[in-house]
Amino acid sequence: MKLSIYLMNEDVKLFRQALQLKYLSGDDAFSEVESPVDLDFECVAYVQKNKSRAPKWVSFIDGHFDVNSLGLMNASNSFILLLRVRNRIFGVPFGYGYSVLDRSKIEPSFGLKVTLNVIDPQRIETLDTRNIDLVTKQRRTHVTVGSTVSELGLNQNIDWVRFVSGKPVSKDFATKLSGSDPLSITTDVNLGDLGSLCEDLLQKFQLDEYKKQFEFVDYLRPLKRSDPKVIELDMKLNQIIEERKTDKVTVALPEIPESNVDRYKIFCGYQNDYLEEVTLEAIYDFLEKVNNEEFFQKVFIVGMDSEDKPVTAKFKLYEFIVAEIRNEVETFVLSLGNWFKADNNYVAKIKDLVDSIPDVTTQLNIPPIRKGESEGEFNKRVGELNDWALFDKELMYFSATEKYEICDLLTLDNRFLCVKKMSSSATLSHLFAQGSVSARLLRGDSRVSEKIKSVCSQQWQGTGYPLQGIPQFVYVIPTLKEGAISDCLFFFSLINLVDHARSIKEVGYDVALCKVEYDS
């Protein structure tokens, strides 16, 4: 039998605290149902019977074909069992039973840690990862033959593992496990065994066995909702959203969308909009309409299929927000509705990696950027001053949709300068990506070398390419902030920089940093 099992957090002491109470009354309510037999564990069960909805496509063909008189309705039934084991409450849903659970009270990473504690590290089948950055990328990697983490291409510095599946070491326990917050387990049990199974799962959740092979999953550690820091962080985030800021905050889907998601419904009470994609700008537009101060908890987003039927869980807006808040000694990240404290050793490791990147600020001696001066104007002025080849706006077209700007400036000693002001983490993400993409193209596409050769010949009267020395990609960052680059960059950006610097080095080129001051 394949079961999905949720563990509620330690603050949930009563069964009803695990549920969204509004689903226990009104139309299509979940109603309590009793068991005719005695079980070995304390439990309560709820069922939702015959929830019906007209297919969305009916409205599309209405007026052209007479189908309304047929009373076409789609129906679904749902069930959820709540049980108490060792003073912790578990939820075991069937159908859409998971929708009645209060997601804010679910123990984060329960399924993930149980799976990692008992899985055979040589037989991982699927990984869902999410990079730690404001430009968020989610990826699912599936292999037909069980493999190790390294074989699945996990980058431990930047990839946050959100879901894993594979075979356990012992088949006596289960034949297959997968988990994120809930646990999916395929095992030979009946309902009467659920109490002992959940007790076993709780024990496995509390083990540290996973740290031998998967220590990196603790690079970000969730804060308990009762932690006073959560209230403080929420207040700061609330101010960021109210002021409609776009720096250090963005949105990302809480789970990788399935192919049956047609669009998204965002709603607050009776007010709603439909979104083709969920973006920060779209959310800000909706918040202007509803004007609700409790937007984090009162605004919801759900994925809908082509028949306007919900095909994802209903997530609070809070669960879509990705943000970074730092103080003098700590770094906090909000993702999937949970605040995480970045492990100090992890933060120190990332900073050390950035500090190890050569700083060529003194060697290049680039003049300060003038206030109000655009990057294009700055690049042109610096290029003329130093007799460097200007590549800004020199786009290479590889197809109708693929175009790249190799760099902004190229020096005679083979330094590719990529220039971007430190205005936001998202802007810097594009900068770092430009360097690594250009490095790969330079290494593997002869058209890039031909383009560079053409520009060099015009700039330096017949000088061709390649130039002397190993190509070095230099990230040139104008900023008003004081101190070293590693002290100026946002934590998200530090992680992103480390990853792209690694990519540049992998193709055999060098990477460096250059800080540019602003003209006083």
Side-chain angles (χ1 to χ4, degrees), residues 392-447:
D392 187 22
K393 306 296 190 297
E394 287 280 349
L395 299 179
M396 287 198 64
Y397 292 86
F398 292 90
S399 70
T401 57
E402 290 182 291
K403 56 183 180 181
Y404 296 101
E405 184 181 84
I406 301 302
C407 64
D408 293 295
L409 294 163
L410 175 62
T411 72
L412 264 170
D413 54 353
N414 217 3
R415 284 176 168 157
F416 292 76
L417 309 187
C418 301
V419 183
K420 193 72 69 178
K421 295 177 183 177
M422 189 186 291
S423 56
S424 70
S425 288
T427 298
L428 291 176
S429 292
H430 291 301
L431 171 68
F432 301 146
Q434 179 190 18
S436 62
V437 169
S438 296
R440 290 196 298 271
L441 289 173
L442 178 61
R443 172 61 72 186
D445 196 314
S446 60
R447 291 173 295 179

Side-chain angles (χ1 to χ4, degrees), residues 104-358:
S104 68
K105 297 176 181 177
I106 292 172
E107 182 72 48
S109 300
F110 162 67
L112 179 68
K113 289 192 175 179
V114 170
T115 302
L116 293 179
N117 272 324
V118 301
I119 202 171
D120 184 342
Q122 306 294 321
R123 302 181 70 190
I124 299 173
E125 296 179 351
T126 306
L127 276 182
D128 282 3
T129 58
R130 181 171 177 165
N131 67 320
I132 308 168
D133 190 9
L134 291 178
V135 181
T136 303
K137 300 174 186 176
Q138 299 185 84
R139 181 181 67 178
R140 169 163 291 182
T141 305
H142 179 76
V143 293
T144 55
V145 179
S147 305
T148 64
V149 164
S150 59
E151 290 171 334
L152 286 166
L154 179 74
N155 184 335
Q156 297 182 12
N157 285 331
I158 68 166
D159 286 338
W160 176 29
V161 177
R162 282 297 304 139
F163 172 88
V164 62
S165 72
K167 299 293 194 300
V169 174
S170 172
K171 290 185 178 180
D172 294 336
F173 172 65
T175 56
K176 186 174 181 178
L177 289 165
S178 61
S180 52
D181 291 340
L183 173 74
S184 177
I185 180 171
T186 303
T187 184
D188 185 18
V189 298
N190 57 45
L191 194 143
D193 299 326
L194 276 182
S196 58
L197 174 63
C198 288
E199 184 171 0
D200 194 11
L201 294 177
L202 183 61
Q203 181 182 15
K204 287 177 168 53
F205 170 63
Q206 295 167 341
L207 295 175
D208 289 335
E209 188 71 20
Y210 70 94
K211 292 185 177 181
K212 295 178 181 177
Q213 299 282 344
F214 311 105
E215 183 182 14
F216 52 86
V217 301
D218 284 337
Y219 283 168
L220 292 177
R221 298 177 180 174
L223 298 179
K224 291 187 176 181
R225 296 187 183 276
S226 56
D227 193 320
K229 289 181 180 177
V230 171
I231 297 176
E232 179 184 346
L233 291 166
D234 280 346
M235 290 177 62
K236 291 181 178 179
L237 179 64
N238 194 82
Q239 184 177 356
I240 289 171
I241 301 299
E242 284 184 340
E243 294 176 0
R244 305 294 189 255
K245 292 184 177 180
T246 58
D247 186 30
K248 295 189 180 182
V249 61
T250 189
V251 294
L253 301 177
E255 57 188 23
I256 295 178
E258 301 294 340
S259 58
N260 59 346
V261 175
D262 183 62
R263 57 180 179 168
Y264 293 87
K265 180 181 179 181
I266 181 171
F267 58 97
C268 178
Y270 294 104
Q271 294 178 283
N272 67 80
D273 272 341
Y274 285 91
L275 310 175
E276 295 301 319
E277 59 178 330
V278 182
T279 65
L280 186 62
E281 292 74 14
I283 287 173
Y284 280 167
D285 288 342
F286 183 74
L287 294 182
E288 290 292 337
K289 297 177 184 179
V290 300
N291 194 28
N292 191 310
E293 294 182 355
E294 299 180 76
F295 46 80
F296 279 143
Q297 305 301 325
K298 299 294 185 181
V299 174
F300 296 89
I301 300 176
V302 61
M304 314 294 286
D305 66 10
S306 59
E307 295 184 351
D308 209 27
K309 179 181 178 181
V311 289
T312 70
K314 183 179 71 172
F315 292 101
K316 294 178 181 179
L317 171 60
Y318 190 72
E319 297 175 271
F320 277 78
I321 301 295
V322 179
E324 173 196 334
I325 294 178
R326 300 175 69 181
N327 58 33
E328 293 181 356
V329 294
E330 296 173 309
T331 300
F332 299 95
V333 175
L334 176 70
S335 189
L336 297 171
N338 292 284
W339 282 105
F340 295 82
K341 179 181 179 297
D343 181 78
N344 284 338
N345 291 331
Y346 173 49
V347 175
K349 174 185 175 183
I350 294 296
K351 289 196 69 175
D352 286 345
L353 289 172
V354 173
D355 287 337
S356 69
I357 299 174

